[in-house]
Amino acid sequence: MSSKPRNRGVSLTPAGVKRLRDRMIEIAGEEISDKHLATLAGVTPENVRRYRQNKKVDDSHLIEAALDKVEKPWTQLVVATIADVNESTFKTMLNCEPKDTVSIERVTSALGLGPCSVVDPSDWSRFVNNQPEFKGELSNFQALIHRKLKRFVGRRFVFDAIENFFSTNSNGYFTIVGEPGIGKSTILARYITDKQCVGHFISREKNKVETFLRTVCNQLIDRYDLGYTSLPDRATNDGEFLDELIQKVSKLLPPGERLVIAVDALDEVEKQSKEEVRNLCYLPRYLPDNVYFLLTRRPFTTEEERLLVEAPKYYFNLWKYPKESEKDVKEYIWLFLVDPEFENGLRQWIEARNLSKEEFTDQLAQKSKNNFMYLRCVLSEIAKGENSIYRDSSLTALPKDLQDYYEEHWKLKGMNTERERYKVVIICILLELSEQISCELIADISEENIDKVQLLLDEWIEFFNQEKLEEQTCYSIYHFSYAEFLDKKLEQKKLTVTRREINTKISDYFEKEMDEDDE
């Protein structure tokens, strides 16, 4: 028998227990879902729906008794019944004793909370978000996926919609559509991690169609042992080889299994010529049974769609689910409030304005318009305390949206002044190279002191990816929307540098390197 101790679960924090108890009082009188009311009353959800439609229901007295219970502060028995856990299980949670993650999820869901609002996020991450090590081509996205899932919350309504589409169609294309920063890439990262499916993330550094085809074809060959020792030259010419592999895999799938290929930021792939009428990334027009594509992209016009297929397709527009997204956004804010990295700075800012954490969460969620990127930037900045550009701002004076945040941050950091011109040069070098590069290389190209470059990269870290490549920490611009913001400023000549100047610095550096190599 192994002497290794068994995993006993996760404990609620004292602050988490207080939040649960406070929520049991707050939730009284709020409208309860049909499902939860049916569970408490011991009737079917259909009877609850009929009752709420003022139709005759034999069990109306049971429903009315249940409604009476939830219109008062919820008792431990009410919570346990709705959450479908034993009352003793809930009591041990309130005593901060370790409990299994399923029970914690059920209890917090019943109270309209998220697990990380009542447990230490790092503990929860170890138990729930224990990410597998990806192999082959998918391992190239390991760092990106890990970063995306660091503060993952909810999105259950999206995953339910995906599963419903896959289970009711023999094949097809399911596309998640949303504005920049609304969480599309994170949803895909979670799905790929949970389902261990084939995946590809299109980024500024990896936006070639050939890169997509190579990555996905190699994953299919490795995963399904298709007998190729290397990709044929024609594999990245067009979509024909990908289509062949998909057809082969479809025939190999055991009953009940699917092939899901997940592709993030489809619309960001490098565009072909205007005469090109093929689908983006050469995605197949026809799909065999049990083959599905899960895609994400920004809102688009009919002309920009470029997805002509003879298969079921569904566009899931995230902005059509404001209530569900707002719930997840509030949970996301709470993760920052309990994160040791940000907790003190946020608490001081909130208390200085005589706000409660709940008031701050509710108001910031409204202001964010359910944009996670906005929250990531604003919360990180607020937490800097005296060094924050918002140290003297009120909650209502915070930026109105993500683009406003970029503009305000740029202005308040003095980036339009000659004094900070060297910082603009550094950032624009990252923009123009569109790849991950080291601090040393940035310093060499910009001809700036390496310590000054590193200081800027550290100070602006929320805007940059940071990844270890060949024992060096390398950087790139984090999000398409920020790159677009900078690119627009360069195009409109609103920066203290020009694109020509930046590209001259880059070309001069590489020409010098080539000359030295030839000597």
Side-chain angles (χ1 to χ4, degrees):
M1 177 181 274
S2 171
S3 60
K4 185 178 179 179
R6 294 182 62 188
N7 181 340
R8 296 183 61 218
V10 187
S11 300
L12 273 63
T13 63
V17 171
K18 182 179 185 303
R19 181 151 175 75
L20 274 186
R21 293 189 182 279
D22 289 346
R23 184 59 183 154
M24 290 165 69
I25 297 171
E26 294 170 2
I27 202 169
E30 293 182 11
E31 184 174 14
I32 186 174
S33 70
D34 292 350
K35 178 183 176 182
H36 284 163
L37 183 57
T39 300
L40 186 60
V43 301
T44 65
E46 178 60 29
N47 275 359
V48 171
R49 283 192 289 273
R50 289 177 57 82
Y51 176 86
R52 284 177 159 167
Q53 294 169 358
N54 295 319
K55 295 179 180 179
K56 185 177 180 180
V57 178
D58 292 338
D59 298 326
S60 59
H61 65 289
L62 297 176
I63 297 172
E64 289 165 0
L67 282 170
D68 184 58
K69 291 177 182 177
V70 297
E71 286 173 357
K72 304 169 185 174
W74 287 17
T75 64
Q76 293 179 14
L77 179 59
V78 166
V79 175
T81 303
I82 292 174
D84 192 24
V85 300
N86 292 329
E87 187 177 3
S88 60
T89 294
F90 185 45
K91 286 180 178 178
T92 58
M93 284 187 199
L94 297 179
N95 289 331
C96 296
E97 295 180 22
K99 292 307 301 179
D100 63 280
T101 55
V102 173
S103 295
I104 293 173
E105 284 184 319
R106 288 179 177 177
V107 166
T108 52
S109 176
L111 289 167
L113 300 171
C116 289
S117 63
V118 300
V119 304
D120 186 304
S122 59
D123 286 347
W124 190 258
S125 178
R126 282 195 294 273
F127 281 86
V128 177
N129 293 334
N130 183 24
Q131 297 175 37
E133 287 294 323
F134 296 114
K135 298 179 181 179
E137 293 277 358
L138 199 53
S139 66
N140 295 327
F141 304 111
Q142 183 89 40
L144 182 150
I145 290 173
H146 177 73
R147 184 172 63 251
K148 290 290 183 184
L149 297 186
K150 186 175 181 181
R151 296 184 184 87
F152 178 82
V153 293
R155 318 312 275 167
R156 188 71 260 162
F157 67 100
V158 185
F159 298 127
D160 287 345
I162 294 169
E163 179 57 33
N164 181 62
F165 177 82
F166 287 174
S167 61
T168 54
N169 293 281
S170 60
N171 54 37
Y173 286 85
F174 186 100
T175 304
I176 301 168
V177 183
E179 298 288 348
I182 206 167
K184 304 184 297 296
S185 299
T186 303
I187 291 169
L188 210 74
R190 179 80 271 165
Y191 190 90
I192 290 172
T193 300
D194 288 347
K195 303 297 184 180
Q196 289 291 284
C197 66
V198 174
H200 180 75
F201 291 82
I202 297 170
S203 64
R204 293 184 69 248
E205 309 95 67
K206 300 174 183 176
N207 71 338
K208 306 290 186 186
V209 176
E210 294 81 1
T211 303
F212 161 78
L213 291 170
R214 182 173 59 253
T215 300
V216 172
C217 289
N218 272 327
Q219 287 182 62
L220 292 172
I221 289 169
D222 291 344
R223 185 179 297 245
Y224 296 99
D225 195 19
L226 299 181
Y228 293 88
T229 56
S230 63
L231 282 183
D233 292 339
R234 66 186 181 90
T236 58
N237 291 342
D238 51 38
E240 290 187 10
F241 185 69
L242 172 62
D243 191 40
E244 289 174 21
L245 294 184
I246 287 173
Q247 297 290 338
K248 288 181 180 180
V249 171
S250 174
K251 295 174 182 177
L252 294 173
L253 291 173
E257 276 198 24
R258 306 166 179 152
L259 166 62
V260 178
I261 301 175
V263 185
D264 182 49
L266 178 68
D267 54 307
E268 303 296 347
V269 72
E270 185 179 59
K271 303 300 189 292
Q272 305 299 303
S273 66
K274 291 184 178 179
E275 291 75 26
E276 177 62 68
V277 294
R278 298 285 294 274
N279 288 334
L280 290 169
C281 285
Y282 295 117
L283 295 181
R285 181 168 183 172
Y286 303 95
L287 294 178
D289 285 347
N290 302 313
V291 175
Y292 305 85
F293 276 84
L294 174 59
L295 312 172
T296 74
R297 64 185 298 170
R298 298 184 187 190
F300 55 90
T301 63
T302 303
E303 294 75 21
E304 295 170 323
E305 181 186 20
R306 294 278 300 278
L307 189 62
L308 178 63
V309 297
E310 300 295 330
K313 64 179 179 180
Y314 182 76
Y315 290 109
F316 186 89
N317 298 305
L318 280 169
W319 64 82
K320 291 184 178 180
Y321 299 84
K323 289 186 178 179
E324 293 86 348
S325 291
E326 183 182 6
K327 179 178 179 292
D328 291 340
V329 155
K330 288 181 178 180
E331 176 63 16
Y332 185 73
I333 295 170
W334 196 263
L335 289 183
F336 277 83
L337 295 177
V338 298
D339 189 320
E341 183 181 351
F342 306 103
E343 185 177 10
N344 288 337
L346 291 173
R347 176 179 51 78
Q348 291 170 10
W349 195 92
I350 291 168
E351 289 177 353
R353 287 150 185 80
N354 295 316
L355 295 169
S356 67
K357 288 182 178 179
E358 288 73 19
E359 289 171 330
F360 174 78
T361 299
D362 289 344
Q363 293 179 41
L364 189 59
Q366 289 292 322
K367 197 168 188 67
S368 75
K369 300 174 185 174
N370 297 335
N371 191 293
F372 290 87
M373 182 63 66
Y374 171 93
L375 291 171
R376 176 182 180 270
C377 293
V378 170
L379 287 165
S380 299
E381 185 62 39
I382 289 174
K384 293 177 182 177
E386 286 301 311
N387 295 321
S388 171
I389 60 176
Y390 302 129
R391 60 184 177 275
D392 299 320
S393 300
S394 65
L395 187 55
T396 55
L398 293 178
K400 66 178 184 293
D401 57 29
L402 185 59
Q403 288 300 313
D404 190 37
Y405 168 78
Y406 291 152
E407 192 66 58
E408 191 171 287
H409 183 274
W410 192 262
K411 181 179 177 181
L412 292 175
K413 287 291 186 180
M415 300 299 283
N416 295 323
T417 65
E418 194 62 27
R419 178 186 174 188
E420 306 294 354
R421 186 175 184 276
Y422 79 95
K423 294 182 179 179
V424 183
V425 171
I426 292 168
I427 293 170
C428 286
I429 287 171
L430 279 163
L431 174 71
E432 289 298 283
L433 284 176
S434 297
E435 60 188 41
Q436 295 165 318
I437 55 176
S438 68
C439 176
E440 182 179 2
L441 180 55
I442 298 170
D444 288 343
I445 295 173
S446 64
E447 300 179 295
E448 289 291 344
N449 179 278
I450 192 169
D451 291 335
K452 288 177 70 175
V453 174
Q454 189 64 62
L455 189 62
L456 172 65
L457 293 171
D458 292 342
E459 183 185 354
W460 288 54
I461 193 59
E462 63 264 34
F463 295 100
F464 304 130
N465 289 324
Q466 183 177 337
E467 189 172 345
K468 283 279 187 183
L469 295 175
E470 297 180 356
E471 303 304 316
Q472 275 192 315
T473 301
C474 293
Y475 301 84
S476 61
I477 291 178
Y478 180 76
H479 203 257
F480 273 116
S481 62
Y482 192 60
E484 288 175 335
F485 164 78
L486 295 171
D487 193 63
K488 186 176 180 180
K489 280 189 169 294
L490 274 177
E491 286 296 315
Q492 296 176 347
K493 299 182 179 179
K494 291 184 176 180
L495 298 181
T496 51
V497 301
T498 65
R499 175 167 272 129
R500 181 177 180 180
E501 179 184 351
I502 297 300
N503 286 323
T504 297
K505 282 183 174 290
I506 294 171
S507 60
D508 285 351
Y509 169 78
F510 285 111
E511 284 177 13
K512 181 181 176 183
E513 286 291 295
M514 290 176 64
D515 290 342
E516 290 178 357
D517 289 341
D518 291 339
E519 290 179 0

